[in-house]
Amino acid sequence: IVGDATWAAEVRRLADARDAVLLAHNYELPEIQDIADYTGDSLALSRVAANDPHSTIVFCGVHFMAETAKILSPEKRVLIPDARAGCSLASSITAAELAAWKAEYPDATVVSYVNTTAEVKAMTDICCTSSNAVDVVQSIPADQEVLFCPDQFLGAHVKRKTGRNNIHIWMGECHIHADINGDVLAETACQHPDSDLYIHPECGCTTSALYLAQEGVVPQEQVKILSTGGMLEEAEEAGACGDHGEVLVATEVGMLHQLKAVAPNVTFTPINPHAACPFMKMITPAALLRCLALGKDEIDLDPDTIAAAYRPVDRMISIGN
Ligand code: 13P
């Protein structure tokens, strides 16, 4: 049965035969996270992709993540179990749209979220992930205009944290995170007033959470805006302290698997239990087996695009913890 111990042994055998390292994003199915050599957030996995010695990377995540690995390690073979695993956020800005936007602000520094196509990255000055977006923007001189794309909610978070008024934000969104909105957050938070809130900055509810804290509905210190990697660090601390509390989690539901593993005493409750990314879930155990058996789907990027995208992505992995 796909997903069982025989499947796991076959996946490991094929990965060894291909000299492949298996990377899985925190939103992947539990079986995929458990079989991977490394599970993590976008920044951590990019860093592994840049430094791991294996000649093949199998990226269990969505397409832009595997492309990012290829940009960082063009000499390696990069496979994704299903190349149709896209990203609504990455699709919300095209290279032509970015070119037109840059023409309006020719002197601005372009910061693109890692959730973009390789072509958009190739036209970018510096990329960022949710864990280092604030640090990346802070690394740009304060008098320099910034174009931030494509996520409007992450952009608003960065603007709030940096206090910059010279940042222009593209109005894209991840449909899954946008649906974790202020209404659903307010309703759940009011029912669980003692719970901590872990909120991914791509969520539509980030501003509402801060408003609830400002109004005293939820204590300020209980509202934590974090990348998926940041959520895990926070949960590890709660787990280590023997905390028996409850945490409301605003992100894709795949995250719950890792959170429960690092802090089994804590109750993690998704703010929107329907927030499952259909693209992430295309990376099934069967798709991973097929990928390793057939060496498909392979990421193939034009060398000029790789050359142009390398610097902004390399700058991304050098900033932040
Ligand atoms: P991180 O991997 O930075 O936590 O972001 C998650 C995400 O939404 C990827 O699309």
Side-chain angles (χ1 to χ4, degrees):
I1 301 163
V2 171
D4 70 2
T6 313
W7 167 84
E10 186 61 359
V11 165
R12 292 309 334 167
R13 188 186 71 76
L14 290 168
D16 286 349
R18 285 198 176 276
D19 186 33
V21 63
L22 306 187
L23 311 186
H25 191 269
N26 289 323
Y27 295 158
E28 289 301 315
L29 291 166
E31 303 90 315
I32 301 290
Q33 296 192 30
D34 290 346
I35 195 87
D37 295 295
Y38 297 93
T39 301
D41 69 4
S42 309
L43 186 61
L45 294 179
S46 297
R47 286 177 172 150
V48 174
N51 296 313
D52 181 84
H54 291 82
S55 58
T56 294
I57 295 171
V58 175
F59 213 118
C60 299
V62 290
H63 196 263
F64 75 81
M65 295 180 176
E67 277 190 344
T68 305
K70 184 72 183 172
I71 291 164
L72 285 164
S73 288
E75 72 292 352
K76 292 180 195 163
R77 190 167 189 212
V78 178
L79 303 175
I80 180 167
D82 192 330
R84 295 170 301 175
C87 170
S88 63
L89 181 53
S91 301
S92 69
I93 187 163
T94 64
E97 286 169 330
L98 179 55
W101 202 31
K102 283 175 70 159
E104 278 179 60
Y105 300 95
D107 298 325
T109 298
V110 178
V111 178
S112 295
Y113 194 27
V114 70
N115 301 42
T116 43
T117 62
E119 290 73 25
V120 165
K121 289 185 176 77
M123 299 168 63
T124 291
D125 294 301
I126 178 161
C127 293
C128 68
T129 75
S130 69
S131 34
N132 70 359
V134 171
D135 293 332
V136 164
V137 171
Q138 265 164 349
S139 76
I140 299 165
D143 58 352
Q144 178 68 31
E145 274 196 306
V146 173
L147 300 184
F148 187 95
C149 73
D151 190 76
Q152 58 179 298
F153 299 111
L154 180 63
H157 170 68
V158 168
K159 186 170 180 171
R160 205 164 30 232
K161 293 294 268 188
T162 59
R164 288 175 88 121
N165 287 321
N166 57 357
I167 173 164
H168 306 273
I169 300 167
W170 191 259
M171 286 291 123
E173 64 183 32
C174 155
H175 298 345
I176 304 300
H177 280 101
D179 265 359
I180 309 176
N181 58 38
D183 291 344
V184 72
L185 172 90
E187 195 185 327
T188 320
C190 289
Q191 286 164 1
H192 305 255
D194 298 328
S195 300
D196 274 5
L197 288 169
Y198 290 2
I199 299 177
H200 194 280
E202 279 179 35
C203 286
C205 63
T206 314
T207 312
S208 310
L210 296 173
Y211 179 72
L212 290 178
Q214 193 184 310
E215 293 298 303
V217 178
V218 176
Q220 192 92 43
E221 64 278 7
Q222 285 174 212
V223 177
K224 296 164 188 186
I225 299 174
L226 300 162
S227 70
T228 59
M231 289 182 190
L232 267 181
E233 282 171 23
E234 195 72 29
E236 263 165 17
E237 267 181 46
C241 298
D243 198 334
H244 280 76
E246 184 182 27
V247 176
L248 304 178
V249 183
T251 195
E252 209 274 353
V253 290
M255 189 65 221
L256 277 280
H257 181 61
Q258 293 283 329
L259 290 173
K260 286 176 183 167
V262 298
N265 296 335
V266 177
T267 305
F268 294 98
T269 305
I271 287 193
N272 179 352
H274 306 294
C277 172
F279 294 120
M280 290 281 180
K281 295 337 184 219
M282 289 171 84
I283 310 303
T284 59
L288 175 57
L289 196 58
R290 167 192 165 273
C291 170
L292 286 164
L294 304 181
K296 289 181 177 177
D297 296 334
E298 183 162 0
I299 300 292
D300 182 24
L301 285 175
D302 155 59
D304 290 343
T305 306
I306 292 181
Y310 179 78
R311 187 157 183 270
V313 176
D314 186 52
R315 289 177 82 185
M316 170 185 92
I317 62 169
S318 69
I319 294 182
N321 296 320

